[in-house]
Amino acid sequence: MLFTNKKNVRWILLKIFSNLNFAICILFIILFFSMLGSIIEQHQSLAYYQNLYPIKSSNIMNFNWKLIIDLGLDHIYESWWFLFILIILSCSLIICTFSVQLPSLRNARRWKFINGYSTTQQNCLLSNNIYINKSIINIVACLDEQGYYCFNRQLKLYGYKGLIGRIAPIIVHISLMVILIGATISFTNGFIVQEIIPVGEIFHIKNILGSGFNNSVPIYSTFRVNDFYINYNIDDSIKQFFSQLSYVDQHGYKRVYPTIFVNSPLKFKGITFYQTDWQINALRIQLDSSCIVQYKLNKVQIGKSIFWICHLPVEKNKYLFIIISKLNHEIYIYNSDGALLFTSFLNQKINISNNSFRIIEIMSSTGLQVKVDPGLLFVYLGFALLIISTFISYISYSQIWFIISNKSCYLNGSTNRAILSFEEELVLISDHYINNFNE
Amino acid sequence: MNNFSIENQLLNISFLLILITLIIYWLNLIITDLNILKQISKFSTIIINLCLSISLIYRWINNHYFPLSNLYESLVFLTWGLTFIQLILEKQNQSKLIGAINLPIALFTIGFASLALPNEMKEASPLVPALRSNWLMMHVSVMMISYSTLIIGSLLSILFLIVSKGKNIELQGSSYNTKIKTNFIINSISRKYNRLNLLESIDNLSYRVIGLGFPLLTIGIISGAVWANEAWGSYWSWDPKETWALITWLIFAIYLHTRLNKAWNGKKPALIASLGFIVVWICYLGVNFLGKGLHSYGWIL
């Protein structure tokens, strides 16, 4: 009894999961929470939600910060229930594929001969056996011309085309599954690291932003930033920024890699290095051709323009302001009254009130994102399959029956989409048939 | 005459032509037997599309990148997409309805680009490093063409709902009916075959147009994901624009699935497609005006 109940429950579940209405409902739920996630700002501080969604005791149905935090609406896309909905969708896709789509495909490949319909005889085309043979040959020729696979049994003929259109929904489902599997592999086995490294420095992968529980971060791998530079447009806006990296092995051997920039990452032993950011840190100044000092630069934004400023003490209560607008370009030197004294370049000697100095280096850092994504291949495979199958799914699966009954010919047709085109095709077939028959 | 004023002139001509063509289309719906109106409107739509094409190509040549980097350029491209899809559909269907419902939207987009946006938003500026990629042309152009197609398809669904208001409808041109056999008695004298009425043809056309837009949207989203992974190492980051593109994809995926379901026949899929119309506009314009996320054009509201 218990066994049959279990069997019934399993059968009911299978029936529910393979139901099209159920799949539509799941898609609507995902759609709703995706909308909600774009309305409620994600990953903000508790204070942010408390300020924006305060508790108003007067309203019973009040949408407040406590509700957001308790339901995990501050991180919808990572919440257990959202992932659970995606798992349900995956199950629905798998069950639908095996219980509906594959049997439907098997059924579509079968020969289906049907009997003629009881239709009143009028102006019969065929009257004897000789013409019947000719009819069968003619209709086969007409259907073959339109790309139909034909099967003949006695005075009945069956043809179909566009079977690939029936395979497409299965591939769509598989591709979505492959994407979800790839994303899961990435989530469990991948990691993302962000590093800001000064030029010339050696670094290890350590500043982990996000990682799966089964990842293997290569913490002992050593890399070096050899160079960082920026290309500018005519209007002084940034055109592109570049980093030159090298890998340093245990023996100190350096292996230099191609320059990376935004949209052109570096792939190394399954690790990908992305150029994401940059910053100017400090100035290295040589005073009186002897000691070298380092001054921190402060970033200042005026309108759309960005400057880096530092002040250099020259005498008591007297300062020089050094302003940089672009990396490795002109350096502007102002006095404490705001008057421009010099426009200098790197390594150019500057003499001010018995003091001489030269700016020998603008110290910059490159912002790198380091990523390992073992599921990427699956995701890309899923993408490719999804594109191909989405297009293939628009190929109509059409069936045609040709029956000779009571000295009449009947042409019956069925299609799963593009009915107008199919009707026109049937007219074309019948025209060809009549023309061939009368020749 | 500077580059910007030439572009402006072309857009003004386009705006004026769209307005005139729209009136002609609407007249053609009232006065059905005048074939010359149909010819004029078709020719005028071709001229509009050419003006927009020249404007975009001119901007492309001057700025050395495909003009899809800001809101102004994308609105012009969307208008181009709307007129281009209209021309393709009219070539296939010979329907006067497509232009009559599409051109008000084209008028809105070109009007919004020309009149509502401040001049600084119209000016071309050099591309930021992240946009310096061949993926820009691939991803954004496909997305814009898919939006154009889905907008027209959704508009046809809205029209279907308006025309079918208060009517109990039974469609035979729906895509679910795999079991219905179309019978032909073949003989030398008569051939009987069904022709779809107005409602059925609108419904059928809407389905076919959305059926064209959906794969384009799929390609657009996927190419964007691949580009994002190449640019900053994440193919999906739940950015507002990405999320709404997914919502748009889900809406039309639901629509296409409802077409396979006999229980959902008739008005229900049309309602979903109509909802899709709103979602496309939220995805395209609404999200950008928040001024948030990786896809923001900056905001003017």
Side-chain angles (χ1 to χ4, degrees):
Chain A
M1 184 71 186
L2 189 72
F3 177 73
T4 52
N5 278 353
K6 272 185 182 176
K7 212 171 183 183
N8 283 349
V9 168
R10 203 180 299 159
W11 176 247
I12 290 160
L13 276 172
L14 279 172
K15 218 166 168 58
I16 290 165
F17 273 75
S18 63
N19 188 287
L20 187 61
N21 288 341
F22 177 77
I24 289 166
C25 288
I26 290 293
L27 288 174
F28 266 121
I29 292 163
I30 292 166
L31 191 144
F32 172 75
F33 285 115
S34 297
M35 277 185 187
L36 201 62
S38 69
I39 294 161
I40 300 166
E41 287 228 30
Q42 302 292 291
H43 302 289
Q44 299 295 323
S45 64
L46 182 64
Y48 176 88
Y49 295 112
Q50 284 173 334
N51 181 43
L52 213 64
Y53 305 98
I55 298 169
K56 292 171 191 160
S57 53
S58 58
N59 193 352
I60 302 159
M61 285 295 288
N62 180 32
F63 190 72
N64 56 60
W65 66 267
K66 205 170 186 325
L67 199 70
I68 289 168
I69 301 300
D70 291 346
L71 296 176
L73 300 177
D74 59 329
H75 57 276
I76 287 174
Y77 310 118
E78 288 99 51
S79 62
W80 67 267
W81 48 265
F82 188 78
L83 296 172
F84 181 68
I85 294 163
L86 290 179
I87 290 162
I88 290 171
L89 177 70
S90 307
C91 293
S92 180
L93 286 170
I94 293 163
I95 292 163
C96 180
T97 303
F98 286 100
S99 67
V100 177
Q101 299 288 357
L102 283 168
S104 171
L105 177 66
R106 267 189 234 111
N107 185 43
R109 289 184 67 211
R110 288 198 190 107
W111 307 346
K112 297 182 200 75
F113 294 103
I114 59 164
N115 297 315
Y117 294 99
S118 54
T119 317
T120 52
Q121 290 182 21
Q122 47 173 304
N123 300 319
C124 297
L125 258 178
L126 312 169
S127 55
N128 57 41
N129 288 330
I130 299 159
Y131 283 104
I132 285 167
N133 291 337
K134 192 180 176 185
S135 288
I136 296 287
I137 291 160
N138 280 343
I139 199 73
V140 167
C142 294
L143 291 175
D144 189 57
E145 207 174 286
Q146 294 298 321
Y148 282 86
Y149 291 95
C150 296
F151 304 93
N152 178 225
R153 188 168 70 194
Q154 293 163 340
L155 303 180
K156 294 167 191 169
L157 191 116
Y158 168 66
Y160 72 76
K161 75 166 180 180
L163 189 67
I164 196 165
R166 277 295 174 101
I167 299 164
I170 297 165
I171 304 168
V172 168
H173 286 189
I174 290 165
S175 65
L176 289 170
M177 282 309 305
V178 170
I179 291 166
L180 288 168
I181 288 162
T184 308
I185 292 166
S186 299
F187 182 70
T188 54
N189 293 33
F191 69 84
I192 293 176
V193 171
Q194 275 187 356
E195 303 279 357
I196 288 267
I197 310 112
V199 174
E201 292 289 318
I202 281 172
F203 71 96
H204 297 279
I205 295 166
K206 58 179 185 292
N207 186 29
I208 297 164
L209 272 187
S211 70
F213 50 79
N214 195 28
N215 72 74
S216 50
V217 181
I219 48 172
Y220 300 111
S221 296
T222 309
F223 302 91
R224 185 179 186 272
V225 177
N226 299 325
D227 195 12
F228 173 78
Y229 59 96
I230 298 171
N231 280 358
Y232 291 91
N233 292 305
I234 303 157
D235 68 344
D236 288 349
S237 61
I238 292 165
K239 189 175 185 177
Q240 193 57 273
F241 43 97
F242 307 82
S243 293
Q244 225 271 310
L245 306 177
S246 60
Y247 171 66
V248 185
D249 66 12
Q250 298 102 313
H251 312 293
Y253 174 71
K254 219 166 72 167
R255 192 166 153 197
V256 180
Y257 286 98
T259 303
I260 66 163
F261 52 92
V262 183
N263 287 310
S264 180
L266 164 70
K267 288 175 175 67
F268 166 82
K269 291 182 180 176
I271 307 166
T272 313
F273 292 84
Y274 297 90
Q275 178 71 72
T276 55
D277 204 357
W278 63 280
Q279 63 187 39
I280 292 173
N281 303 321
L283 285 179
R284 294 186 79 193
I285 299 169
Q286 188 176 31
L287 302 170
D288 296 319
S289 62
S290 58
C291 68
I292 293 168
V293 289
Q294 205 166 288
Y295 284 96
K296 189 182 182 299
L297 284 161
N298 297 306
K299 189 178 176 181
V300 176
Q301 186 162 352
I302 302 161
K304 282 186 179 179
S305 305
I306 295 167
F307 303 97
W308 286 266
I309 300 171
C310 82
H311 60 275
L312 186 70
V314 278
E315 286 170 24
K316 199 180 180 183
N317 298 330
K318 272 198 175 181
Y319 292 93
L320 288 179
F321 288 94
I322 300 169
I323 298 174
I324 293 160
S325 63
K326 292 199 284 185
L327 185 66
N328 298 338
H329 278 68
E330 289 176 323
I331 299 157
Y332 305 99
I333 299 161
Y334 289 81
N335 65 14
S336 46
D337 300 323
L340 178 66
L341 302 177
F342 290 99
T343 301
S344 171
F345 289 93
L346 285 180
N347 292 311
Q348 188 179 326
K349 197 170 185 179
I350 299 155
N351 293 303
I352 292 168
S353 57
N354 304 323
N355 294 315
S356 72
F357 67 92
R358 70 178 75 208
I359 298 162
I360 57 169
E361 191 187 346
I362 298 169
M363 297 180 76
S364 59
S365 294
T366 182
L368 300 175
Q369 181 157 296
V370 186
K371 188 185 161 203
V372 164
D373 195 345
L376 192 66
L377 199 70
F378 285 95
V379 172
Y380 278 13
L381 176 67
F383 283 167
L385 287 172
L386 186 61
I387 289 170
I388 294 160
S389 56
T390 308
F391 276 100
I392 292 169
S393 66
Y394 290 102
I395 296 168
S396 300
Y397 171 70
S398 305
Q399 295 164 290
I400 275 179
W401 292 269
F402 181 79
I403 303 132
I404 296 166
S405 171
N406 303 329
K407 296 181 181 179
S408 295
C409 284
Y410 299 99
L411 185 68
N412 304 307
S414 166
T415 190
N416 66 337
R417 58 179 82 244
I419 284 175
L420 283 175
S421 309
F422 182 63
E423 282 193 359
E424 283 159 13
E425 190 175 58
L426 285 182
V427 171
L428 198 73
I429 289 164
S430 62
D431 281 340
H432 277 211
Y433 172 81
I434 290 159
N435 292 339
N436 289 351
F437 193 82
N438 292 333
E439 275 172 14
Chain B
M1 206 180 207
N2 66 355
N3 296 336
F4 187 69
S5 68
I6 293 165
E7 281 173 41
N8 228 20
Q9 291 297 327
L10 283 164
L11 286 196
N12 290 341
I13 291 162
S14 301
F15 180 82
L16 197 68
L17 278 171
I18 290 170
L19 189 61
I20 294 160
T21 314
L22 177 60
I23 294 159
I24 294 165
Y25 265 107
W26 285 356
L27 276 171
N28 204 5
L29 288 176
I30 302 158
I31 311 157
T32 51
D33 51 354
L34 267 176
N35 200 40
I36 193 158
L37 287 176
K38 198 177 180 181
Q39 297 300 320
I40 292 164
S41 57
K42 192 184 176 182
F43 179 72
S44 184
T45 310
I46 292 164
I47 299 296
I48 292 160
N49 193 261
L50 278 171
C51 282
L52 293 167
S53 301
I54 293 160
S55 173
L56 288 164
I57 291 162
Y58 191 76
R59 201 172 172 97
W60 189 357
I61 292 161
N62 282 325
N63 303 315
H64 311 290
Y65 64 82
F66 196 70
L68 281 170
S69 68
N70 61 27
L71 183 59
Y72 172 76
E73 289 168 352
S74 78
L75 279 163
V76 174
F77 191 85
L78 182 70
T79 315
W80 178 87
L82 287 165
T83 54
F84 179 70
I85 299 295
Q86 183 191 318
L87 286 167
I88 289 169
L89 294 174
E90 282 182 344
K91 196 175 190 295
Q92 285 185 329
N93 287 276
Q94 307 295 321
S95 174
K96 292 175 276 189
L97 283 170
I98 299 160
I101 61 164
N102 175 48
L103 286 176
I105 302 294
L107 190 72
F108 162 73
T109 53
I110 199 88
F112 188 57
S114 303
L115 310 169
L117 295 181
N119 279 340
E120 57 265 27
M121 280 188 86
K122 292 180 188 179
E123 282 165 18
S125 54
L127 290 176
V128 295
L131 295 181
R132 289 186 179 274
S133 170
N134 293 329
W135 284 106
L136 172 71
M137 187 176 170
M138 165 68 182
H139 165 60
V140 189
S141 62
V142 173
M143 283 303 283
M144 297 313 293
I145 291 165
S146 78
Y147 288 161
S148 308
T149 315
L150 293 171
I151 284 165
I152 295 170
S154 304
L155 278 169
L156 286 161
S157 285
I158 292 165
L159 182 70
F160 173 85
L161 288 172
I162 293 162
V163 175
S164 67
K165 199 170 187 280
K167 289 177 189 171
N168 194 21
I169 46 166
E170 188 66 44
L171 296 174
Q172 67 121 332
S174 197
S175 57
Y176 70 81
N177 57 358
T178 52
K179 297 287 181 286
I180 291 173
K181 310 272 187 301
T182 310
N183 288 339
F184 287 77
I185 296 173
I186 299 175
N187 51 57
S188 51
I189 298 163
S190 67
R191 283 192 308 280
K192 298 171 186 171
Y193 61 94
N194 306 313
R195 290 261 52 84
L196 302 181
N197 63 26
L198 175 68
L199 267 178
E200 285 169 336
S201 61
I202 293 168
D203 182 61
N204 200 274
L205 186 59
S206 169
Y207 174 59
R208 284 168 73 182
V209 175
I210 290 168
L212 172 68
F214 186 74
L216 290 171
L217 183 67
T218 307
I219 292 171
I221 291 169
I222 286 169
S223 63
V226 173
W227 182 18
N229 190 61
E230 198 179 275
W232 47 69
S234 171
Y235 51 81
W236 198 264
S237 52
W238 294 103
D239 172 71
K241 188 89 162 181
E242 281 175 15
T243 308
W244 278 92
L246 176 69
I247 290 163
T248 309
W249 191 86
L250 286 170
I251 280 278
F252 289 105
I254 290 165
Y255 168 81
L256 293 171
H257 277 78
T258 57
R259 297 287 306 213
L260 303 170
N261 194 342
K262 203 168 185 174
W264 287 70
N265 172 31
K267 289 184 183 180
K268 286 174 188 173
L271 273 166
I272 291 164
S274 305
L275 179 65
F277 177 76
I278 299 159
V279 168
V280 168
W281 282 109
I282 293 169
C283 178
Y284 173 57
L285 282 179
V287 177
N288 294 323
F289 291 146
L290 294 171
K292 293 171 195 146
L294 301 162
H295 294 82
S296 178
Y297 291 130
W299 44 279
I300 60 162
L301 299 181

